[in-house]
């Protein structure tokens, strides 16, 4: 039974209340009814009612779900009790939310040390003159002949004794548990075997691409499924991002685990890439191929969420703390939109373990890359997540291959030390002809924190470019265009925790390298640069000259002009192979 206690100002003023009410009757989010108790003291800290809401009642926003709202006098304990009994019965019968709006007052202002007469002198003059609720109810019971003074004193002493006893027990237990240091001391870098047999891949592919006879699919979907089948069965397999994700989820389901994925338009996928839920073109009946691999498999629960970030992400964080053996994912329509859930990230996802010992393995999928779609559709604000990284509190990745995505999702399930995973997911790279993985990268190996360059002769390399995410493929193309094979391109797949030993091993394998260049698409004051700079400088220890290539510092995440975007992107690529254009750091 969920019970939420609100203040009146918060109920009317906090947007997450309305968002949560909106979730209450939706498949995928309903809880069977929540009882909301509004402690309506008719003031918000020092703010008068007329300044805190436009509605008559603080609870008027609950009319949106047509649920009962019980306005009850806080000075009448029996009325409050009856309202609670009604709320419980209604909730149990109809599975719906119920609101109890208890009109009362704050005796001492915001708290016992506050001075409310500064701002509400007349209200608190009135409150000071009122008898306590206990006195009002005591007189009522005496007038009714239910209570006399002796019985009242006896009940009072019995209750006080219980409170005193509870306090004593609590005081004795206070120092029983010592604070646990939750720092994981490098355990997040432990390798996990996440490959699966080729036969399992083919089994999942069969379930994905062979539809039941009764199902009438969209012709374009049939074409997509044919391509997915060819990805696995062709001699030169080339598995793309969406198929890599499907194989990862399918393999997790076959192990009897459950997978939950929610977000705006996540069933089809914002970029029409996922198609995890198919719709019959005649009946609009749905079919979920990944739920039809094996009779003993786990269940994929995938939902298109309402147009909300903060409430939905909060719901998924809570879900992930309960479904500890399963995989829970929340996807932003564009990574930028996670801005609206920043409070969830700040207060819960980044620090719930060090604050409360509450672990979560929630995965955030945040589409991020510079494709000329403007400042509201480019950046997932990678720098914000990195700024919050410490004590191995969460994992932050910007991946370049479908196989890496496959392995990181499976690793998330098997990791001994649970923690949130933040992934900058692709947009244009979803269909990039080079952003594919052969089948043997799924049947062998594990997640790679960094990926070295295998296309160059290391003895001939004098410059190392290091990058993360989609720009890797553009740098690869530019190197081919300029025939600059004296330049290696190293990919950083997991930005935090940073694998220092592997970084040293890769850098040391280039005996003649003199220049190290960090390349990024984001403006200089964003992205990974400021987070990585002290790490890289410390690791390189003046062995190489260190440079930056990328957009200059900016207030907005990206330009709104597509033409200017192309010019900026071309300049980054050109500068990456011309030391005269580098921004030197040391």
């Amino acid at each position: 039974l969920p019970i939420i206690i609100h203040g009146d100002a918060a109920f009317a003023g906090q947007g997450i209340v309305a968002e949560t009410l909106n979730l209450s009757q939706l498949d995928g989010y309903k809880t069977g009814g929540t009882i909301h108790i509004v402690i309506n003291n008719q003031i918000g800290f020092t703010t008068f009612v007329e300044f805190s809401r436009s509605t008559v009642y603080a609870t008027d926003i609950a009319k949106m779900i047509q649920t009962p709202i019980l306005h009850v006098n806080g000075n009448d304990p029996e009325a409050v009790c009856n309202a609670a009994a009604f709320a419980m019965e209604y909730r149990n019968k109809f599975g719906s939310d119920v609101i109890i709006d208890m009109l009362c007052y704050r005796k001492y202002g915001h708290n016992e040390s506050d001075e409310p007469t500064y701002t509400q002198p007349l209200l608190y003059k009135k409150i000071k003159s009122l008898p306590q609720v206990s006195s009002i109810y005591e007189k009522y019971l005496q007038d009714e002949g239910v209570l006399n003074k002796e019985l009242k004193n006896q009940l009072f002493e019995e209750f006080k004794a219980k409170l005193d006893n509870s306090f004593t027990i609590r005081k004795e237990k206070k120092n029983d548990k010592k604070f646990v240091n939750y720092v994981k001391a490098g355990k997040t870098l432990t390798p996990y075997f996440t490959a699966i047999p080729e036969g399992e891949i083919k089994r999942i592919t069969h379930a994905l691409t062979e539809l039941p006879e009764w199902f009438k699919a969209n012709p374009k979907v049939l074409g997509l499924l044919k391509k997915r089948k060819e990805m696995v069965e062709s001699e030169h397999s080339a598995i793309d991002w969406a198929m890599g994700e499907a194989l990862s989820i399918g393999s997790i389901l076959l192990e009897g685990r459950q997978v939950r994925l929610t977000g705006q338009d996540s069933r089809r996928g914002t970029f029409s890439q996922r198609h995890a839920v198919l719709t019959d073109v005649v009946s609009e009946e749905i079919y979920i191929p990944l739920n039809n691999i094996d009779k003993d498999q786990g269940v994929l629960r995938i939902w298109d969420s309402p147009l909300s970030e903060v409430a939905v992400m909060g719901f998924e964080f809570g879900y992930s703390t309960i479904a500890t053996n399963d995989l829970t994912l929340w996807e932003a329509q564009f990574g930028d939109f996670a801005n609206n859930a920043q409070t969830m990230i700040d207060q819960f996802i980044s620090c719930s373990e060090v604050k409360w010992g509450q672990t979560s393995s929630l995965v955030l999928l945040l589409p991020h890359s510079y494709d000329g779609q403007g400042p509201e559709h480019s950046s997932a604000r990678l720098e914000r997540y990195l700024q919050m990284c410490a004590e191995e509190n969460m994992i932050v990745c910007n991946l370049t291959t479908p196989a890496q995505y496959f392995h990181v999702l499976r690793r998330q399930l098997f990791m001994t030390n649970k923690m949130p995973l933040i992934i900058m997911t692709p947009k244009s790279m979803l269909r990039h002809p080079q952003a594919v993985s052969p089948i043997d990268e799924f049947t062998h190996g594990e997640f790679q924190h960094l990926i070295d360059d295998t296309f160059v002769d290391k003895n001939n390399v004098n410059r190392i470019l290091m990058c993360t995410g989609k720009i890797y493929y553009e740098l690869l193309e530019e190197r081919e265009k300029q025939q600059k094979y004296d330049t290696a391109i190293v990919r950083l797949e997991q930005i935090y925790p940073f694998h220092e030993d592997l970084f040293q091993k890769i850098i040391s394998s280039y005996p003649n390298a003199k220049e190290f260049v960090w390349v990024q698409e984001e403006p200089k004051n964003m992205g990974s640069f400021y987070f990585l700079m002290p790490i890289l400088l410390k690791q390189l220890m003046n062995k190489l000259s260190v440079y930056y290539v990328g957009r200059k510092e900016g207030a907005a995440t990206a330009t709104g002009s597509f033409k200017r975007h192309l010019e900026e992107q071309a300049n980054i690529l050109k500068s990456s192979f011309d030391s005269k254009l580098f921004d030197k750091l040391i």
Side-chain angles (χ1 to χ4, degrees):
L1 170 66
I3 300 175
I4 305 179
I5 301 177
H6 309 261
D8 54 312
F11 196 88
Q14 292 291 324
I16 195 169
V17 176
E19 289 193 30
T20 305
L21 289 170
N22 186 48
L23 292 182
S24 67
Q25 301 303 306
L26 300 179
D27 288 343
Y29 303 95
K30 61 175 65 170
T31 62
T34 297
I35 293 178
H36 301 264
I37 302 171
V38 180
I39 310 299
N40 190 344
N41 42 51
Q42 302 163 79
I43 189 171
F45 192 12
T46 66
T47 304
F48 282 104
V49 166
E50 54 264 36
F51 298 133
S52 72
R53 63 176 185 265
S54 297
T55 57
V56 175
Y57 293 105
T59 51
D60 279 349
I61 62 165
K63 291 178 179 176
M64 64 187 282
I65 57 170
Q66 298 183 327
T67 197
I69 303 171
L70 311 175
H71 304 284
V72 61
N73 180 0
N75 263 5
D76 187 343
E78 291 191 7
V80 174
C81 186
N82 289 335
F86 173 88
M88 189 68 188
E89 289 185 38
Y90 184 92
R91 184 261 182 189
N92 287 345
K93 184 171 178 63
F94 298 107
S96 167
D97 286 22
V98 190
I99 319 293
I100 300 172
D101 180 11
M102 186 175 73
L103 283 97
C104 50
Y105 57 86
R106 285 194 309 223
K107 185 176 179 182
Y108 298 109
H110 190 62
N111 55 44
E112 288 83 354
S113 63
D114 194 31
E115 180 46 78
T117 58
Y118 290 146
T119 49
Q120 280 83 20
L122 297 181
L123 175 63
Y124 274 86
K125 184 180 179 182
K126 177 68 175 174
I127 289 171
K128 196 172 182 181
S129 70
L130 293 175
Q132 292 186 13
V133 180
S134 56
S135 300
I136 295 171
Y137 191 48
E138 179 187 343
K139 184 177 184 305
Y140 166 73
L141 293 176
Q142 286 176 345
D143 291 345
E144 291 288 307
V146 175
L147 188 71
N148 56 39
K149 193 170 184 180
E150 291 74 21
L151 181 56
K152 174 252 178 180
N153 291 336
Q154 179 190 333
L155 293 172
F156 181 86
E157 291 302 325
E158 287 175 0
F159 188 64
K160 184 175 182 299
K162 287 183 179 180
L163 292 177
D164 289 342
N165 185 52
S166 296
F167 181 75
T168 302
I169 293 170
R170 176 68 182 145
K171 197 173 180 181
E172 289 171 355
K173 286 185 175 181
K174 192 174 182 180
N175 297 318
D176 280 0
K177 291 185 179 179
K178 293 182 179 178
F179 178 76
V180 179
N181 185 353
Y182 292 103
V183 179
K184 298 177 182 67
K187 290 183 180 177
T188 55
L189 303 179
T190 303
Y192 289 84
F193 183 76
T194 47
I196 60 174
E198 187 173 342
E200 192 169 309
I201 289 178
K202 290 184 176 179
R203 190 177 170 197
I204 296 166
T205 303
H206 178 79
L208 279 169
T209 58
E210 300 295 328
L211 302 179
E213 289 184 9
W214 59 264
F215 188 82
K216 303 294 184 291
N218 184 298
K220 290 183 179 179
V221 167
L222 292 174
L224 171 80
L225 298 182
K226 183 181 177 183
K227 287 180 182 176
R228 288 186 173 174
K229 191 172 185 178
E230 290 169 355
M231 286 178 194
V232 172
E233 294 183 353
S234 65
E235 186 178 343
H236 303 289
S237 61
I239 293 169
D240 68 7
W241 194 272
M243 185 61 177
E245 177 187 79
L247 291 175
S248 183
I249 291 173
S251 67
I252 291 168
L253 297 174
L254 282 177
E255 293 179 24
R257 310 288 190 102
Q258 318 298 319
V259 177
R260 177 180 169 89
L261 168 58
T262 71
Q264 292 157 25
D265 307 298
S266 290
R267 286 178 152 191
R268 190 204 73 177
T270 295
F271 309 102
S272 195
Q273 85 283 6
R274 181 170 290 123
H275 295 282
V277 178
L278 307 180
T279 305
D280 190 298
V281 294
V282 177
S283 65
E284 288 200 347
E285 192 169 344
I286 67 165
Y287 180 72
I288 303 176
L290 284 171
N291 281 340
N292 292 275
I293 310 169
D294 185 89
K295 63 182 178 63
D296 296 321
Q297 69 171 77
V299 178
L300 168 63
R301 295 178 175 88
I302 180 167
W303 302 98
D304 288 336
S305 77
L307 202 64
S308 155
E309 285 81 28
V310 62
V312 173
M313 189 190 289
F315 190 101
E316 303 312 332
F317 171 80
Y319 193 97
S320 71
T321 65
I322 303 300
T324 53
N325 293 317
D326 303 323
L327 186 65
T328 307
L329 309 99
W330 177 81
E331 181 175 56
Q333 190 162 55
F334 285 82
D336 317 58
F337 298 176
N339 281 349
N340 294 317
Q342 196 67 43
T343 48
M344 288 296 165
I345 298 158
D346 291 349
Q347 299 298 113
F348 297 94
I349 290 171
S350 67
C351 55
S352 67
E353 185 174 9
V354 294
K355 288 200 293 191
W356 311 305
Q358 177 62 72
T359 57
S360 163
S361 57
L362 178 65
V363 180
L364 302 189
L365 305 177
L366 311 177
H368 170 92
S369 66
Y370 282 63
D371 302 303
Q373 295 177 297
E376 270 61 71
H377 291 81
S378 296
S379 175
R381 292 286 190 179
L382 173 58
E383 65 281 353
R384 288 187 182 168
Y385 298 93
L386 293 174
Q387 186 182 44
M388 290 184 279
C389 285
E391 301 178 291
E392 297 193 30
N393 59 331
M394 55 187 180
I395 300 166
V396 180
C397 294
N398 194 7
L399 311 172
T400 57
T401 74
Q404 282 284 87
Y405 184 42
F406 169 90
H407 287 295
V408 83
L409 289 183
R410 285 181 55 77
R411 183 187 70 169
Q412 188 69 1
L413 198 70
F414 302 134
M415 282 182 68
T416 308
N417 300 100
K418 300 294 185 184
M419 67 192 79
L421 167 62
I422 318 298
I423 306 179
M424 305 289 113
T425 55
K427 295 182 288 183
S428 62
M429 200 172 79
L430 290 168
R431 293 176 175 82
H432 195 291
Q434 288 183 289
V436 293
S437 299
I439 199 168
D440 63 357
E441 290 187 8
F442 297 82
T443 57
H444 297 86
E446 60 205 23
F447 177 75
Q448 300 177 70
H449 294 81
L450 293 98
I451 302 179
D452 199 0
D453 196 329
T454 57
F455 300 110
V456 292
D457 181 346
K458 292 194 172 189
N459 292 313
N460 294 334
V461 168
N462 57 42
R463 177 186 304 122
I464 301 170
L465 304 182
M466 192 172 191
C467 65
T468 187
K470 183 262 285 185
I471 200 167
Y472 165 73
Y473 293 101
E474 292 165 278
L475 290 170
L476 206 60
E477 189 178 341
E478 184 70 16
R479 182 173 69 181
E480 186 69 26
K481 182 180 169 184
Q482 293 193 31
Q483 298 289 293
K484 287 275 190 177
Y485 298 113
D486 61 347
T487 302
I489 307 172
V490 177
R491 288 171 272 174
L492 178 53
E493 301 283 295
Q494 180 171 300
I495 306 165
Y496 185 84
F498 184 79
H499 202 313
E500 296 180 3
D501 292 344
L502 183 57
F503 176 77
Q504 281 291 347
K505 182 181 177 182
I506 290 173
I507 296 302
S508 299
S509 68
Y510 293 91
N512 300 310
K514 298 180 179 64
E515 298 170 342
F516 180 91
V517 188
W518 174 257
V519 184
Q520 69 178 37
E521 299 181 291
E522 303 88 353
K524 191 175 182 180
N525 57 317
M526 302 176 197
S528 308
F529 173 67
Y530 277 118
F531 175 80
L532 285 173
M533 182 177 64
I535 298 174
L536 297 175
L537 293 179
K538 177 186 171 185
Q539 288 293 307
L540 294 168
M541 294 291 286
N542 297 325
K543 293 177 185 174
L544 303 167
S545 295
V546 183
Y547 302 90
Y548 165 82
V549 170
R551 286 174 169 80
K552 63 177 185 173
E553 292 182 346
T557 55
T559 176
S561 162
F562 185 65
K563 182 180 178 182
R564 188 172 174 184
H565 160 78
L566 293 176
E567 291 171 353
E568 290 175 350
Q569 207 76 358
N571 185 56
I572 291 171
L573 299 176
K574 180 184 176 183
S575 300
S576 297
F577 296 91
D578 187 348
S579 55
K580 297 173 187 173
L581 301 174
F582 293 164
D583 184 356
K584 188 168 183 179
L585 301 176
I586 59 170

